[in-house]
């Protein structure tokens, strides 16, 4: 498809406020979440800006994203009752609207805080003033009902973007999201957004550089300009998302088929499902159960397995056998095996898997033992050397002993990722 056939996607900017985000005390969860949601709605997210609780910085951020030519600005944070919660005031100035008290909202917030105030004894003039502040909104704005105590807003700047003002706590922001979508000004904008279904692929043990090289090669013979491709490494899986413009869905489908064909050995899912999802499905479908014998991961694998609701149907149990004595006493690893091969060895990983499977009566056992660092490595077994083994009741044995990169936390997380992938392979949940 050529330049003339393109359908423009509306652009959006996101402004996240909070000085604690700049100091590193808190990690921003709202920017990525809002960006993902807007992308699924068909918006092209142009910028995500994080600013502190300073009026001049917030005003500058609003100008910055607007100058980038956006149709929508979403802000998060700064809606509380304290002096440094200045988002409503700055947005009102940005859209050129006077602030006015919404008495109905003042009553709503008052009812929400009354019980808390009575219990804590913090009622009085200060609380009344805080309630009044949160109920003061720009004239003409659509007010979104609070999830906590702060209402949200949807307001348009004359000859400019629509501005959606949402609270900072992720639970409140996500809880308010449906109301924002239903607000008349937002619904009108959303009706103009061209929609095309995105396609998502997941690969394991595939570097982003390999996908980039494949895309460059395909582009030599095919026009991909109407398909936006984004990649993200998450839990050792490479997510490749294909976002076609309306009418370019066939191009995206052909591109997906080509990527799958060239990297089939690393493919986890052709529909975007994660290893965790696929493993749960495969275990339930085949009536299989899992037991874990962990050393260096210290229970991270068992924790990952039981993250999903209903995991008691397929997780029988697990043991963290960190010391040599625990490996022997709890999972039956022969002491002479440890003495001969070392606690970090393929032999011990196999014994941990078999021991866990037998102890808990599971269909599948997994054993992990390694050198997580920062000390303890040798020339033969350096930091990052981790031994894995998955054994099954029907005689399958899957073993790996890579040297994983990174610091101690990285090695443990990557070990958990690899163990999940080996379990998925043993359970028959990978594409053929």
């Amino acid at each position: 498809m050529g330049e003339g056939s393109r359908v423009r996607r509306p652009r959006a900017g996101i402004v996240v406020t909070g000085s604690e985000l700049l100091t590193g005390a808190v990690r921003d969860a709202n920017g990525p979440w809002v960006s993902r949601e807007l992308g699924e709605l068909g918006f092209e997210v142009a910028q995500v800006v994080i600013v502190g609780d300073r009026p001049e910085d917030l005003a500058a951020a609003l100008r910055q994203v607007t100058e980038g030519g956006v149709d929508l600005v979403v802000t998060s944070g700064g809606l509380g009752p304290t002096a440094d919660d200045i988002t409503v005031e700055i947005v009102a100035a940005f859209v050129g609207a006077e602030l006015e008290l919404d008495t109905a909202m003042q009553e709503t917030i008052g009812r929400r805080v009354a019980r808390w105030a009575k219990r804590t004894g913090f009622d009085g003039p200060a609380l009344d003033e805080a309630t009044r502040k949160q109920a003061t909104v720009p004239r003409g704005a659509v007010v979104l009902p609070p999830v906590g105590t702060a209402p949200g807003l949807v307001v348009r700047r004359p000859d400019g973007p629509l501005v959606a003002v949402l609270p900072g706590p992720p639970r409140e922001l996500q809880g308010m999201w449906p109301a924002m979508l239903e607000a008349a000004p937002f619904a009108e904008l959303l009706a103009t957004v061209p929609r095309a279904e995105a396609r998502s692929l997941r690969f394991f043990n595939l570097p982003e550089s390999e996908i980039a090289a494949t895309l460059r090669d395909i582009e030599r013979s095919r026009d991909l300009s109407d398909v936006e491709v984004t990649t993200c490494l998450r839990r050792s899986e490479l997510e490749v998302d294909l976002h076609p413009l309306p009418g370019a869905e066939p191009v995206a489908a052909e591109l997906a088929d080509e990527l799958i064909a060239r990297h089939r050995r690393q493919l986890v899912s052709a529909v975007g499902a994660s290893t965790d999802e696929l493993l749960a499905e495969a275990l339930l479908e085949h009536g299989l159960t899992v037991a874990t014998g962990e050393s260096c991961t210290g229970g991270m694998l068992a924790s990952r397995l039981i993250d999903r609701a209903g995991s008691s149907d397929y997780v029988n149990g697990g043991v963290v056998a960190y010391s040599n004595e625990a490996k022997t006493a709890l999972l039956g690893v022969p002491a002479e095996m440890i003495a001969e091969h070392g606690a970090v060895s393929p032999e011990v990983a196999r014994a941990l898997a078999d021991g866990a499977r037998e102890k808990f009566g599971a269909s599948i056992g997994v054993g992990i033992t390694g050198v997580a660092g920062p000390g303890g490595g040798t020339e033969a077994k350096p930091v990052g050397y981790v031994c894995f083994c998955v054994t099954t009741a029907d005689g399958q044995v899957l073993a790996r002993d890579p040297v994983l990169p990174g610091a101690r936390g990285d090695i443990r997380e990557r070990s958990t990722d690899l163990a999940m992938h080996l379990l998925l392979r043993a359970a028959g949940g990978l594409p053929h």
Side-chain angles (χ1 to χ4, degrees), residues 382-406:
V383 170
Y385 178 66
V386 183
C387 300
F388 302 83
C389 192
V390 173
T391 65
T392 67
D394 62 4
Q396 283 192 77
V397 179
L398 299 176
R400 303 286 188 276
D401 63 339
V403 177
L404 301 174

Side-chain angles (χ1 to χ4, degrees), residues 153-166:
L153 306 168
V154 177
V155 62
R156 181 172 291 282
R157 186 185 193 190
D159 301 320
L162 189 69
V163 183
V165 180
L166 302 178

Side-chain angles (χ1 to χ4, degrees), residues 260-271:
I260 290 169
R262 296 195 186 199
H263 302 287
R264 186 171 296 279
R265 290 186 61 187
Q266 291 83 23
L267 181 67
V268 173
S269 171
V271 295

Side-chain angles (χ1 to χ4, degrees), residues 193-230:
V193 179
R195 305 298 294 274
E197 188 172 347
R199 180 76 181 272
S200 184
L201 310 175
R202 281 182 184 251
F203 299 91
F204 183 80
N205 201 28
L206 181 65
E208 288 182 275
S209 58
E210 288 294 318
I211 284 291
T214 299
L215 290 169
R216 287 193 298 269
D217 188 47
I218 295 173
E219 282 178 323
R220 294 189 182 101
S221 59
R222 188 175 301 161
D223 181 11
L224 303 180
S225 56
D226 284 343
V227 180
E228 180 185 10
V229 182
T230 61

Side-chain angles (χ1 to χ4, degrees), residues 40 200-202 234-235 237 239 268-286 304-309 311 314 420-421 423-424 427-430:
E40 291 180 2
S200 184
L201 310 175
R202 281 182 184 251
R234 194 191 310 275
R235 282 185 163 175
E237 292 177 1
E239 297 180 9
V268 173
S269 171
V271 295
S274 68
T275 291
D276 300 53
E277 294 167 330
L278 294 170
L279 177 57
E281 291 172 5
L283 292 170
L284 289 170
E285 179 182 351
H286 300 298
R304 178 92 163 261
L305 285 167
I306 66 169
D307 262 351
R308 302 181 66 81
S311 57
Y314 52 82
M420 290 289 289
H421 189 73
L423 285 172
L424 179 60
L430 285 173

Side-chain angles (χ1 to χ4, degrees), residues 15-18 20-21 26-31 34 75-80 85 87 150-151 165-174 176:
V15 179
V16 181
T17 68
E20 69 279 5
L21 301 171
V26 176
R27 178 178 295 181
D28 172 37
N30 289 338
V34 171
T75 75
S76 79
L79 303 187
D85 292 311
T87 299
V165 180
L166 302 178
R171 181 190 66 83
E172 294 183 23
L173 181 146
Q174 294 174 26
M176 192 177 288

Side-chain angles (χ1 to χ4, degrees), residues 74-428:
V74 178
T75 75
S76 79
L79 303 187
T82 61
D84 62 350
D85 292 311
I86 41 83
T87 299
V88 171
E89 177 185 343
I90 300 303
V91 167
F94 175 72
V95 301
E98 295 291 330
L99 287 168
E100 60 183 14
L101 178 65
D102 184 327
T103 54
M105 182 54 62
Q106 185 180 26
E107 292 177 6
T108 297
I109 298 172
R111 287 193 297 270
R112 282 178 174 264
V113 301
R115 185 178 301 174
W116 172 86
K118 184 177 181 179
R119 185 175 68 250
T120 60
F122 282 112
D123 56 345
L127 184 60
D128 293 341
E129 182 57 33
T131 301
R132 181 183 181 86
K133 178 181 185 298
Q134 289 187 294
T136 300
V137 300
R139 183 174 298 155
V142 175
V143 182
L144 306 177
V147 176
T149 61
L153 306 168
V154 177
V155 62
R156 181 172 291 282
R157 186 185 193 190
D159 301 320
L162 189 69
V163 183
V165 180
L166 302 178
R171 181 190 66 83
E172 294 183 23
L173 181 146
Q174 294 174 26
M176 192 177 288
W177 191 259
M180 183 199 74
L181 299 182
E182 294 171 3
F186 193 93
E188 291 170 7
L189 173 60
L190 191 58
T192 70
V193 179
R195 305 298 294 274
E197 188 172 347
R199 180 76 181 272
S200 184
L201 310 175
R202 281 182 184 251
F203 299 91
F204 183 80
N205 201 28
L206 181 65
E208 288 182 275
S209 58
E210 288 294 318
I211 284 291
T214 299
L215 290 169
R216 287 193 298 269
D217 188 47
I218 295 173
E219 282 178 323
R220 294 189 182 101
S221 59
R222 188 175 301 161
D223 181 11
L224 303 180
S225 56
D226 284 343
V227 180
E228 180 185 10
V229 182
T230 61
T231 61
C232 177
L233 189 63
R234 194 191 310 275
R235 282 185 163 175
S236 299
E237 292 177 1
L238 183 64
E239 297 180 9
V240 181
D241 294 322
L242 312 179
H243 298 275
L245 291 175
E249 292 91 342
V251 180
E254 292 173 6
L255 176 56
D257 291 343
E258 186 70 21
L259 292 173
I260 290 169
R262 296 195 186 199
H263 302 287
R264 186 171 296 279
R265 290 186 61 187
Q266 291 83 23
L267 181 67
V268 173
S269 171
V271 295
S274 68
T275 291
D276 300 53
E277 294 167 330
L278 294 170
L279 177 57
E281 291 172 5
L283 292 170
L284 289 170
E285 179 182 351
H286 300 298
L288 300 172
T289 55
V290 175
T292 63
E294 301 180 65
S295 183
C296 66
T297 45
M300 291 175 68
L301 177 59
S303 177
R304 178 92 163 261
L305 285 167
I306 66 169
D307 262 351
R308 302 181 66 81
S311 57
S312 59
D313 290 337
Y314 52 82
V315 179
N316 282 11
V319 170
V320 176
Y322 207 65
S323 70
N324 292 345
E325 293 76 14
K327 292 177 176 65
T328 299
L330 298 176
L331 293 177
V333 180
E336 56 272 20
M337 176 186 289
I338 296 175
E340 180 180 355
H341 299 286
V344 179
S345 62
E347 292 81 4
V348 169
R350 168 74 184 267
L352 288 170
D354 287 338
R357 183 165 50 82
E358 292 166 8
K359 182 178 183 67
F360 292 100
S363 315
I364 305 175
V366 54
I368 311 172
T369 179
V371 185
T378 65
E379 186 175 349
K381 299 177 181 180
V383 170
Y385 178 66
V386 183
C387 300
F388 302 83
C389 192
V390 173
T391 65
T392 67
D394 62 4
Q396 283 192 77
V397 179
L398 299 176
R400 303 286 188 276
D401 63 339
V403 177
L404 301 174
R408 182 179 180 85
D410 301 319
I411 292 166
R412 297 177 69 222
E413 288 178 4
R414 288 179 172 132
S415 295
T416 304
D417 295 340
L418 179 52
M420 290 289 289
H421 189 73
L422 290 174
L423 285 172
L424 179 60
R425 186 173 294 280

